[in-house]
Amino acid sequence: MTAPPRATSVAVQRTGGGGAASADRPAPSVTSRFAPRELKEDQVAELVHRLIGPMTRLLRTELRLDRERIGRLRDPRH
């Protein structure tokens, strides 16, 4: 299984002429515009592939640390 290609840049669009009114209000965050229900199937698949690796590593590390805490470094189920 091969990983999907990673995006290397993020497009940022600025609005307004840079007047005093734009300096007074904060810029909207990326998460405020994120609409998960509007994602296409291939976008969801890419997101899952990007997240599964780091989450799996974190979970394995946490399970190993728990086994170390209770004094059982080896998992008897395997």
Side-chain angles (χ1 to χ4, degrees):
M1 179 162 66
T2 61
R6 293 185 175 186
T8 56
S9 65
V10 176
V12 177
Q13 183 177 0
R14 297 177 190 246
T15 59
S22 65
D24 293 341
R25 59 176 191 245
S29 69
V30 173
T31 56
S32 67
R33 292 176 293 188
F34 180 68
R37 294 190 187 273
E38 295 177 8
L39 290 177
K40 296 176 186 162
E41 188 175 341
D42 59 330
Q43 292 173 322
V44 172
E46 181 181 351
L47 182 61
V48 168
H49 283 291
R50 285 182 165 198
L51 292 175
I52 197 73
M55 289 180 66
T56 302
R57 282 191 294 276
L58 289 171
L59 181 60
R60 285 182 181 173
T61 301
E62 187 63 32
L63 291 173
R64 183 180 50 80
L65 290 172
D66 284 344
R67 287 193 305 265
E68 286 179 1
R69 283 186 206 115
I70 63 172
R72 294 183 180 170
L73 282 176
R74 295 197 177 256
D75 192 356
R77 296 178 293 168
H78 295 274

